[in-house]
Amino acid sequence: MRNLNKLSLLILVFACPVFVWAQTKRSPEFKEKYTLKEVVVLSRHNIRSPLSDNGSALGKLTPHQWTKWSSASSELTLRGGVLETMMGQFFRKWLVDEGLFTENYVPSVDEVNIYANSMQRTIATVQYFSSGFMPVANLSIHHRYTPSKMDPVFFPRLTKVSDSFCAEAMSQIAAMGGKNGIRGINEKLEDSYQILADVLDLKDSPACKAGETCAFDDYDTQIILKKGEEPAMKGSLKLANSASDAFILQYYEETDARKASFGHEISNSDWEKIARVKDVYGDVLFTAPIVAYNVAHPLLVYINDELNSEARKFTFLCGHDSNIASVNAALEVEDYELPNSIEKKTPIGCKLVFEKWLDKEGNEFISVNLVYQSTEQLRNLEMLDKENSPMVYQLQLKGLDLNSDGLYSFKDVCTRFEKAITAYDDIK
């Protein structure tokens, strides 16, 4: 889906109903009927270095050296900054074309809200995005703390934990593995674990030689749910996730694909299998409904308030993949797999975009899309414009009906937010 022009909701439904695309070329008829009133974005930060370095457990999983990153551990890389600036430029052109802003617009303090979690990678992401988005506006960037500290709004921690909560959460997580429960989750990843071990050359690694890890074969994953902390785990899925995460980032950062895979010749399908480990890890920790209601609650309240702010035209919130995953789960987004990306759920730099549209009678509508750069756009540092836009994938909300133009009733979406927010209050 390369030759796209502007964000829109003309929908093509393929043979499999999971693959529903929101195209970016709006029809004249659509533009006659609707005016864009507001956009709220929840973004994942762009490319960072791994959360751990060569001297950590990650470094011991391979005899090879990971890429020399252009940033310190967990911080935004130079490539990540360039890619985010491109995305900001694309959003500027899109919103000018839709009439929400004029070229070189300087907004009032109430019209635009840019707010990041207080981590280096999220603050840096919004700085780069805003420079591309409104380069002459000198936008104020809001974050609460000196880097790097987690802001409670973005911190996906459990604030309510009880025996009944843990029992329900574990039941919902186990259901992801089918009849074999937690083990079943790992069994479904057997192919991914194998390709990951092969590309790492795990059997030749310091970890294996020390008798610690020669295979990802601990399928009895332990889930840890503690009040005030993020959901966590122990076992092969956790260890494999650290390698999966590092490989994904290395693939984006390293222009030589063979070098990114430590000299192995692997296919795009293999890269997708490697990335699947990270996708599943995030699903297990953050998308069980009762967990999502718990950890996403502050963001759900914040986004709902922004969507109902009369003065606001544009909101950009920057957090993490766990934020997008948990918000989607709490809002009951239908399951999906993103095309043209090795990451199928929350690719690096992706944006959950809520667009508020107004018809001529004053009725308000919402579309919900994931906007992201394809794997090739990330790897090749491709400029984004009308002829080569980012990917735009329309998300489906369970139980809500789209109108004939592919839009949800604003009232229905607000009711869905209220349901998710109230579900937190019901956790005992």
Side-chain angles (χ1 to χ4, degrees):
M1 188 170 168
R2 289 176 54 87
N3 293 322
L4 308 177
N5 292 325
K6 291 161 286 193
L7 294 174
S8 79
L9 288 176
L10 288 177
I11 301 170
L12 294 178
V13 182
F14 291 85
C16 176
V18 171
F19 295 98
V20 182
W21 292 77
Q23 284 195 283
T24 56
K25 183 177 175 57
R26 296 196 184 279
S27 69
E29 291 78 16
F30 185 96
K31 290 191 173 188
E32 268 296 311
K33 293 174 66 175
Y34 302 100
T35 301
L36 185 61
K37 182 179 180 182
E38 182 187 2
V39 174
V40 176
V41 178
L42 174 59
S43 178
R44 183 186 175 193
H45 57 79
N46 218 293
I47 297 175
R48 57 160 170 78
S49 60
L51 300 176
S52 51
D53 54 30
N54 280 315
S56 66
L58 173 64
K60 296 177 182 177
L61 289 177
T62 179
H64 307 287
Q65 289 292 309
W66 295 96
T67 291
K68 291 184 178 180
W69 300 91
S70 60
S71 64
S73 176
S74 82
E75 296 185 355
L76 199 75
T77 67
L78 296 179
R79 176 179 286 261
V82 172
L83 288 164
E84 195 62 30
T85 304
M86 291 178 181
M87 188 66 93
Q89 291 171 331
F90 177 79
F91 268 72
R92 173 165 58 94
K93 291 299 186 182
W94 165 48
L95 294 180
V96 167
D97 191 72
E98 291 293 354
L100 189 63
F101 299 115
T102 57
E103 193 69 67
N104 295 318
Y105 188 73
V106 178
S108 70
V109 293
D110 292 328
E111 288 178 315
V112 173
N113 178 23
I114 310 289
Y115 175 29
N117 188 23
S118 297
M119 304 298 286
Q120 190 277 350
R121 59 189 178 274
T122 48
I123 296 170
T125 294
V126 299
Q127 290 283 4
Y128 283 108
F129 179 91
S130 64
S131 68
F133 180 56
M134 288 189 168
V136 302
N138 194 27
L139 292 174
S140 295
I141 306 300
H142 305 290
H143 59 93
R144 291 190 181 188
Y145 307 114
T146 301
S148 286
K149 180 179 179 180
M150 292 293 284
D151 182 326
V153 171
F154 296 95
F155 191 0
R157 62 180 174 176
L158 299 165
T159 53
K160 289 186 176 183
V161 176
S162 63
D163 289 344
S164 60
F165 167 80
C166 290
E168 180 61 23
M170 290 305 301
S171 174
Q172 292 177 0
I173 292 169
M176 298 178 189
K179 65 179 182 180
N180 291 336
I182 297 292
R183 285 191 64 86
I185 295 171
N186 286 280
E187 288 166 357
K188 293 177 182 179
L189 289 172
E190 185 175 353
D191 288 348
S192 294
Y193 286 159
Q194 187 57 59
I195 186 66
L196 193 56
D198 290 344
V199 176
L200 285 167
D201 289 310
L202 183 58
K203 290 185 177 179
D204 297 322
S205 70
C208 185
K209 290 178 180 178
E212 298 168 0
T213 304
C214 293
F216 299 114
D217 55 5
D218 178 6
Y219 285 10
D220 294 315
T221 300
Q222 300 175 52
I223 306 297
I224 303 165
L225 305 171
K226 292 184 178 180
K227 186 176 181 179
E229 298 181 10
E230 290 187 39
M233 69 170 67
K234 294 181 180 179
S236 282
L237 179 52
K238 176 180 173 60
L239 190 61
N241 173 70
S242 68
S244 171
D245 176 67
F247 265 129
I248 294 165
L249 296 167
Q250 183 162 273
Y251 188 49
Y252 295 151
E253 191 83 6
E254 172 55 60
T255 56
D256 184 338
R258 186 158 185 164
K259 188 175 179 181
S261 57
F262 292 148
H264 295 274
E265 193 72 49
I266 65 174
S267 65
N268 187 70
S269 175
D270 292 329
W271 280 111
E272 290 179 349
K273 289 177 183 177
I274 288 172
R276 178 162 172 73
V277 173
K278 182 181 171 299
D279 285 342
V280 172
Y281 174 85
D283 283 349
V284 169
L285 290 183
F286 299 107
T287 68
I290 197 169
V291 174
Y293 295 141
N294 202 328
V295 301
H297 182 70
L299 264 176
L300 290 166
V301 172
Y302 196 98
I303 293 170
N304 188 51
D305 287 347
E306 291 296 291
L307 284 170
N308 285 280
S309 171
E310 281 302 315
R312 195 82 71 224
K313 286 188 174 183
F314 184 80
T315 301
F316 189 85
L317 310 174
C318 188
H320 309 271
D321 50 359
S322 56
N323 296 138
I324 294 176
S326 57
V327 166
N328 280 348
L331 294 177
E332 300 176 52
V333 169
E334 296 275 6
D335 192 29
Y336 63 90
E337 287 198 354
L338 299 175
N340 298 334
S341 174
I342 60 171
E343 296 181 89
K344 299 298 183 183
K345 299 294 185 179
T346 54
I348 201 77
C350 71
K351 282 114 178 72
L352 176 60
V353 181
F354 298 89
E355 303 170 17
K356 185 192 287 188
W357 295 89
L358 194 68
D359 71 10
K360 293 186 181 301
E361 287 73 45
N363 301 307
E364 293 178 321
F365 300 87
I366 289 280
S367 66
V368 187
N369 300 319
L370 263 178
V371 179
Y372 60 100
Q373 285 149 298
S374 71
T375 298
E376 289 306 302
Q377 287 174 332
L378 292 167
R379 283 180 44 76
N380 297 331
L381 284 174
E382 294 183 16
M383 291 295 296
L384 303 176
D385 54 30
K386 294 179 181 180
E387 284 66 47
N388 184 37
S389 80
M391 306 296 104
V392 184
Y393 189 93
Q394 186 179 15
L395 298 177
Q396 307 293 296
L397 300 175
K398 293 178 183 176
L400 298 190
D401 295 326
L402 294 162
N403 71 5
S404 59
D405 296 305
L407 302 175
Y408 290 111
S409 157
F410 181 62
K411 181 180 178 181
D412 286 348
V413 174
C414 287
T415 300
R416 178 58 54 86
F417 268 94
E418 291 164 8
K419 177 184 177 183
I421 291 167
T422 302
Y424 172 82
D425 297 331
D426 293 337
I427 297 173
K428 305 301 181 184

